[in-house]
């Protein structure tokens, strides 16, 4: 009617019994095509992230979506991960370790293994704070005996102090003659789990799985220095950027700070600054 009869917008809206604001309304929802493209980009950058963590990353970038819609787009784009089959395990009693109440109170420690492109094996020493889940070290070498473990702990003690206890398994590197004197001199208790029960050290076992799934299985290490660089970058990303479901989807460095104290831009700048330091 406006085009053919030359009526005003108000008069045309009154004839069809509609409010003029209906004609002037413009959708405020984000462009779904751009959201899908960004979701695919994030999934390609982090192939082992599920839709919940990708949803958090989208919100950090200012894309406001309902989590159910993120899940729908995630499924429609074929990005869902194949669930891993759980093995049946025998039931039995398990020793429950007391949960730490503060950071730097209990550390957990273990090793992981991988190989370089040339076939040479190397190991990584993984130390994690059991309270805020922060990754504390990124030692990687072809051999990590007890002396190297002690050296890594001494370097951490210079910047963080020493914990009250360290939870480890029964490897010879932890039960040898190097770690025990260091722990005694520094007043650190060594808590050894029962043989054959790695779930008693579940914090570091969970970290080992994430390191394997998100870094070691995704990268091709040409040399040991290259592996150290990639591991250092992944550790910075793990501590500063990666959302952790156990921490209300906050990174360990920002927990337990209030999420509202940092804007999205400040959050991103902090992570990018830390990542640039290891490149």
């Amino acid at each position: 009617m406006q085009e053919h009869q030359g009526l005003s917008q108000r008069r045309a809206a009154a004839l069809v019994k509609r409010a003029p604001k209906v004609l002037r309304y413009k959708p405020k929802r984000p462009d779904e095509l751009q959201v899908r493209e960004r979701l695919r980009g994030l999934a390609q950058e982090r192939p082992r992230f599920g839709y919940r963590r990708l949803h958090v990353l989208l919100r950090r970038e200012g894309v406001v979506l309902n989590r159910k819609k993120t899940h729908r787009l995630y499924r429609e784009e074929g990005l869902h991960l194949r669930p891993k089959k759980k093995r049946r395990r025998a039931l039995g009693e398990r020793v429950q370790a007391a949960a730490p109440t503060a950071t730097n109170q209990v550390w957990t420690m273990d090793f992981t293994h991988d190989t370089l492109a040339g076939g040479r094996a190397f190991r990584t020493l993984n130390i994690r704070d059991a309270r805020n889940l922060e990754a504390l070290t990124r030692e990687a070498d072809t051999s990590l005996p007890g002396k190297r473990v002690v050296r890594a702990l001494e370097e951490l003690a210079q910047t963080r102090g020493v914990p009250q206890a360290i939870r480890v398994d029964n490897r010879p590197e932890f039960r040898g003659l190097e770690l025990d004197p260091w722990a005694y001199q520094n007043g650190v208790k060594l808590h050894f789990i029962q043989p054959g029960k790695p779930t008693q050290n579940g914090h570091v076992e969970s970290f080992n799985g994430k390191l394997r799934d998100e870094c070691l299985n995704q990268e091709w290490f040409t040399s040991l220095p290259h592996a150290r660089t990639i591991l250092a970058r992944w550790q910075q990303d793990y501590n500063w950027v990666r959302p952790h479901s156990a921490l209300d989807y906050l990174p360990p460095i920002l927990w337990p700070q209030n999420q509202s104290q940092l804007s999205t831009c400040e959050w991103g700048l902090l992570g990018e600054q830390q990542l640039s330091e290891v490149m």
Side-chain angles (χ1 to χ4, degrees), residues 14-57:
L15 290 175
V16 296
K17 298 181 180 181
R18 292 291 185 271
K21 63 181 180 180
V22 175
L23 303 177
R24 296 192 294 267
Y25 174 77
K26 294 183 179 180
K28 299 180 180 179
R29 295 181 179 179
D31 187 355
E32 187 170 294
L33 292 178
Q34 295 182 359
V35 175
R36 288 175 179 269
E37 182 178 356
R38 184 55 186 151
L39 186 62
R40 289 194 301 267
L42 289 174
Q44 186 175 3
E45 295 173 7
R46 302 172 182 275
R48 296 305 301 175
F49 272 21
Y51 82 94
R52 290 184 176 86
R53 287 191 170 86
L54 294 178
H55 175 74
V56 173
L57 296 180

Coordinates of all heavy atoms in Angstrom, one line a residue, residues 14-57:
A14 N -2.0 1.0 10.0 CA -3.3 1.0 10.7 C -4.4 0.2 9.8 O -5.3 -0.5 10.4 CB -3.8 2.4 10.8
L15 N -4.3 0.2 8.5 CA -5.2 -0.5 7.7 C -5.1 -2.0 7.8 O -6.0 -2.7 7.8 CB -5.0 -0.1 6.2 CG -5.5 1.3 5.9 CD1 -5.1 1.7 4.4 CD2 -7.0 1.5 6.1
V16 N -3.8 -2.5 8.0 CA -3.6 -3.9 8.2 C -3.6 -4.3 9.7 O -3.3 -5.5 10.0 CB -2.3 -4.4 7.5 CG1 -2.4 -4.1 6.0 CG2 -1.1 -3.6 8.1
K17 N -3.9 -3.3 10.6 CA -4.0 -3.6 12.0 C -2.7 -4.1 12.6 O -2.6 -5.1 13.2 CB -5.2 -4.5 12.3 CG -6.5 -4.0 11.9 CD -7.6 -5.0 12.3 CE -9.0 -4.4 11.8 NZ -10.1 -5.3 12.2
R18 N -1.6 -3.4 12.2 CA -0.3 -3.8 12.7 C 0.3 -2.5 13.3 O 0.1 -1.4 12.7 CB 0.6 -4.4 11.7 CG 0.2 -5.8 11.2 CD 0.4 -6.8 12.3 NE 0.1 -8.1 11.8 CZ -1.1 -8.7 11.9 NH1 -2.2 -8.0 12.3 NH2 -1.3 -9.9 11.5
A19 N 1.1 -2.6 14.3 CA 1.9 -1.5 14.8 C 3.0 -1.1 13.9 O 3.6 -2.0 13.3 CB 2.4 -1.8 16.2
P20 N 3.3 0.2 13.7 CA 4.4 0.6 12.8 C 5.7 0.1 13.2 O 6.6 -0.2 12.4 CB 4.3 2.1 12.9 CG 3.0 2.5 13.4 CD 2.5 1.4 14.3
K21 N 5.9 -0.2 14.5 CA 7.2 -0.7 15.0 C 7.5 -2.1 14.4 O 8.6 -2.6 14.3 CB 7.3 -0.7 16.5 CG 6.3 -1.6 17.2 CD 6.5 -1.5 18.7 CE 5.5 -2.5 19.4 NZ 5.7 -2.4 20.9
V22 N 6.4 -2.8 14.1 CA 6.6 -4.2 13.5 C 7.3 -4.0 12.1 O 8.1 -4.9 11.7 CB 5.2 -4.9 13.3 CG1 5.4 -6.2 12.6 CG2 4.6 -5.1 14.7
L23 N 6.9 -3.0 11.4 CA 7.5 -2.8 10.1 C 9.0 -2.3 10.2 O 9.8 -2.6 9.3 CB 6.7 -1.8 9.3 CG 5.3 -2.1 9.0 CD1 4.6 -1.0 8.3 CD2 5.1 -3.4 8.3
R24 N 9.3 -1.6 11.3 CA 10.6 -1.1 11.5 C 11.6 -2.1 12.2 O 12.7 -1.8 12.4 CB 10.6 0.2 12.2 CG 9.8 1.3 11.5 CD 10.1 2.7 12.1 NE 9.4 2.7 13.5 CZ 8.2 3.2 13.7 NH1 7.5 3.6 12.7 NH2 7.7 3.2 14.9
Y25 N 11.0 -3.2 12.7 CA 11.8 -4.1 13.5 C 12.9 -4.8 12.6 O 12.7 -5.2 11.5 CB 10.9 -5.2 14.1 CG 11.7 -6.3 14.8 CD1 12.2 -6.1 16.0 CD2 11.9 -7.5 14.2 CE1 12.9 -7.1 16.7 CE2 12.6 -8.5 14.8 CZ 13.1 -8.3 16.1 OH 13.8 -9.3 16.7
K26 N 14.1 -4.8 13.2 CA 15.2 -5.5 12.5 C 15.7 -6.6 13.5 O 16.0 -6.3 14.7 CB 16.3 -4.5 12.2 CG 15.9 -3.5 11.1 CD 17.1 -2.6 10.8 CE 16.7 -1.6 9.7 NZ 17.8 -0.7 9.4
P27 N 15.9 -7.8 13.1 CA 16.4 -8.9 14.0 C 17.7 -8.5 14.6 O 18.6 -8.0 13.9 CB 16.5 -10.1 13.0 CG 15.5 -9.8 11.9 CD 15.6 -8.3 11.7
K28 N 17.9 -8.9 15.8 CA 19.1 -8.6 16.5 C 19.9 -9.9 16.7 O 21.0 -9.8 17.4 CB 18.8 -8.0 17.9 CG 18.1 -6.6 17.8 CD 17.8 -6.0 19.2 CE 17.1 -4.7 19.0 NZ 16.8 -4.1 20.4
R29 N 19.4 -11.0 16.3 CA 20.2 -12.2 16.4 C 21.4 -12.2 15.6 O 21.4 -11.6 14.5 CB 19.3 -13.4 16.0 CG 18.1 -13.6 16.9 CD 17.3 -14.8 16.5 NE 16.1 -15.0 17.4 CZ 15.2 -16.0 17.2 NH1 15.4 -16.9 16.2 NH2 14.2 -16.1 18.0
P30 N 22.5 -12.9 16.0 CA 23.7 -12.9 15.2 C 23.5 -13.7 13.9 O 22.6 -14.6 13.9 CB 24.7 -13.6 16.1 CG 23.9 -14.4 17.1 CD 22.6 -13.6 17.3
D31 N 24.2 -13.4 12.9 CA 24.1 -14.1 11.6 C 24.5 -15.6 11.8 O 25.6 -15.9 12.2 CB 25.0 -13.5 10.6 CG 24.8 -14.0 9.2 OD1 24.0 -15.0 9.1 OD2 25.4 -13.5 8.3
E32 N 23.5 -16.5 11.5 CA 23.8 -17.9 11.8 C 24.9 -18.5 10.9 O 25.6 -19.3 11.4 CB 22.5 -18.7 11.6 CG 22.6 -20.1 12.0 CD 21.3 -20.8 12.0 OE1 20.4 -20.5 12.9 OE2 21.1 -21.8 11.2
L33 N 25.0 -17.9 9.7 CA 26.1 -18.4 8.9 C 27.4 -18.1 9.4 O 28.4 -18.9 9.4 CB 25.9 -17.8 7.4 CG 24.7 -18.3 6.6 CD1 24.7 -17.6 5.3 CD2 24.7 -19.8 6.4
Q34 N 27.6 -16.9 10.0 CA 28.9 -16.5 10.6 C 29.1 -17.3 11.8 O 30.3 -17.7 12.1 CB 28.8 -15.0 10.9 CG 28.8 -14.1 9.7 CD 28.8 -12.6 10.0 OE1 28.8 -12.3 11.2 NE2 28.7 -11.8 9.0
V35 N 28.1 -17.6 12.6 CA 28.2 -18.4 13.8 C 28.7 -19.8 13.5 O 29.6 -20.3 14.1 CB 26.9 -18.4 14.6 CG1 27.1 -19.3 15.8 CG2 26.6 -17.0 15.1
R36 N 28.0 -20.4 12.4 CA 28.4 -21.7 12.0 C 29.9 -21.7 11.5 O 30.7 -22.6 11.8 CB 27.5 -22.2 10.9 CG 26.1 -22.5 11.3 CD 25.3 -22.9 10.1 NE 23.9 -23.3 10.4 CZ 23.5 -24.5 10.7 NH1 24.4 -25.5 10.6 NH2 22.3 -24.7 11.0
E37 N 30.3 -20.7 10.8 CA 31.7 -20.6 10.3 C 32.7 -20.5 11.4 O 33.7 -21.2 11.4 CB 31.8 -19.4 9.3 CG 33.2 -19.3 8.7 CD 33.3 -18.2 7.7 OE1 32.2 -17.5 7.5 OE2 34.4 -17.9 7.2
R38 N 32.3 -19.7 12.4 CA 33.2 -19.5 13.6 C 33.3 -20.8 14.4 O 34.3 -21.1 14.9 CB 32.8 -18.3 14.4 CG 33.7 -18.0 15.6 CD 35.1 -17.8 15.1 NE 36.1 -17.7 16.2 CZ 37.3 -18.0 16.1 NH1 37.8 -18.6 15.0 NH2 38.2 -17.8 17.2
L39 N 32.1 -21.4 14.5 CA 32.1 -22.7 15.3 C 32.9 -23.7 14.7 O 33.7 -24.5 15.3 CB 30.6 -23.1 15.4 CG 30.3 -24.4 16.3 CD1 30.7 -24.1 17.8 CD2 28.9 -24.7 16.3
R40 N 32.9 -23.8 13.3 CA 33.7 -24.8 12.6 C 35.2 -24.4 12.8 O 36.1 -25.3 12.9 CB 33.3 -24.8 11.1 CG 32.0 -25.5 10.8 CD 31.9 -25.8 9.3 NE 32.0 -24.6 8.5 CZ 31.0 -23.8 8.1 NH1 29.7 -24.2 8.5 NH2 31.1 -22.8 7.4
G41 N 35.5 -23.1 12.8 CA 36.9 -22.7 13.0 C 37.4 -23.1 14.3 O 38.5 -23.5 14.5
L42 N 36.6 -22.8 15.4 CA 37.0 -23.2 16.7 C 37.2 -24.7 16.9 O 38.1 -25.2 17.5 CB 36.0 -22.7 17.7 CG 36.0 -21.2 18.0 CD1 34.8 -20.8 18.9 CD2 37.3 -20.7 18.5
A43 N 36.3 -25.5 16.3 CA 36.4 -26.9 16.3 C 37.6 -27.4 15.6 O 38.2 -28.4 16.0 CB 35.1 -27.6 15.8
Q44 N 38.0 -26.7 14.5 CA 39.2 -27.1 13.8 C 40.5 -26.8 14.6 O 41.4 -27.6 14.6 CB 39.3 -26.4 12.5 CG 40.4 -26.9 11.6 CD 40.4 -26.3 10.2 OE1 39.5 -25.4 9.9 NE2 41.3 -26.6 9.3
E45 N 40.4 -25.6 15.3 CA 41.6 -25.3 16.2 C 41.7 -26.2 17.4 O 42.8 -26.5 17.8 CB 41.4 -23.8 16.6 CG 41.4 -22.8 15.5 CD 41.1 -21.4 16.0 OE1 41.0 -21.2 17.3 OE2 41.0 -20.5 15.2
R46 N 40.6 -26.6 17.9 CA 40.5 -27.5 19.1 C 39.7 -28.7 18.8 O 38.5 -28.8 19.3 CB 40.0 -26.7 20.3 CG 40.8 -25.4 20.6 CD 40.2 -24.6 21.7 NE 41.0 -23.4 21.9 CZ 42.0 -23.2 22.7 NH1 42.4 -24.3 23.4 NH2 42.6 -22.1 22.9
P47 N 40.2 -29.7 18.1 CA 39.4 -30.8 17.6 C 38.9 -31.7 18.7 O 38.0 -32.5 18.5 CB 40.4 -31.6 16.7 CG 41.7 -31.1 17.1 CD 41.6 -29.7 17.6
R48 N 39.4 -31.6 19.9 CA 38.9 -32.5 21.0 C 38.0 -31.7 22.0 O 37.8 -32.2 23.1 CB 40.1 -33.1 21.7 CG 40.9 -34.0 20.9 CD 40.1 -35.1 20.3 NE 39.4 -36.0 21.2 CZ 38.6 -36.9 20.9 NH1 38.3 -37.2 19.7 NH2 38.0 -37.6 21.9
F49 N 37.6 -30.5 21.7 CA 36.7 -29.8 22.5 C 35.2 -30.2 22.2 O 34.9 -30.3 21.0 CB 36.9 -28.3 22.3 CG 37.9 -27.7 23.3 CD1 38.9 -28.5 23.8 CD2 37.9 -26.3 23.5 CE1 39.9 -27.9 24.6 CE2 38.9 -25.8 24.4 CZ 39.8 -26.6 24.9
G50 N 34.4 -30.4 23.2 CA 33.0 -30.6 22.9 C 32.2 -29.3 22.8 O 32.8 -28.2 22.9
Y51 N 30.9 -29.4 22.6 CA 30.1 -28.2 22.4 C 30.1 -27.2 23.6 O 29.9 -26.0 23.4 CB 28.7 -28.6 21.9 CG 27.7 -28.9 23.0 CD1 26.9 -27.9 23.5 CD2 27.7 -30.2 23.5 CE1 26.0 -28.2 24.6 CE2 26.8 -30.5 24.5 CZ 25.9 -29.5 25.1 OH 25.1 -29.8 26.1
R52 N 30.2 -27.8 24.8 CA 30.1 -26.9 26.0 C 31.3 -25.9 26.0 O 31.1 -24.7 26.2 CB 30.1 -27.7 27.2 CG 28.7 -28.5 27.4 CD 28.7 -29.2 28.8 NE 27.5 -29.9 29.0 CZ 27.1 -31.1 28.6 NH1 28.0 -31.8 27.9 NH2 26.0 -31.6 28.9
R53 N 32.5 -26.5 25.8 CA 33.7 -25.6 25.8 C 33.7 -24.7 24.6 O 34.1 -23.5 24.7 CB 35.0 -26.4 25.9 CG 35.2 -27.1 27.2 CD 36.6 -27.7 27.4 NE 36.8 -28.1 28.7 CZ 36.5 -29.3 29.2 NH1 35.9 -30.1 28.5 NH2 36.7 -29.6 30.5
L54 N 33.3 -25.1 23.4 CA 33.2 -24.3 22.3 C 32.1 -23.2 22.5 O 32.3 -22.0 22.1 CB 32.8 -25.1 21.0 CG 33.8 -26.1 20.6 CD1 33.3 -26.9 19.4 CD2 35.2 -25.4 20.2
H55 N 31.1 -23.5 23.2 CA 30.0 -22.5 23.6 C 30.6 -21.4 24.5 O 30.4 -20.2 24.2 CB 28.9 -23.1 24.3 CG 27.8 -22.2 24.8 ND1 26.9 -21.6 24.0 CD2 27.6 -21.8 26.0 CE1 26.1 -20.8 24.7 NE2 26.5 -20.9 25.9
V56 N 31.5 -21.8 25.4 CA 32.1 -20.8 26.3 C 33.1 -19.9 25.4 O 33.1 -18.7 25.6 CB 32.9 -21.5 27.4 CG1 33.7 -20.5 28.2 CG2 32.0 -22.2 28.3
L57 N 33.8 -20.5 24.5 CA 34.7 -19.7 23.7 C 34.0 -18.7 22.8 O 34.4 -17.6 22.6 CB 35.6 -20.6 22.8 CG 36.5 -21.5 23.6 CD1 37.3 -22.4 22.6 CD2 37.5 -20.7 24.5

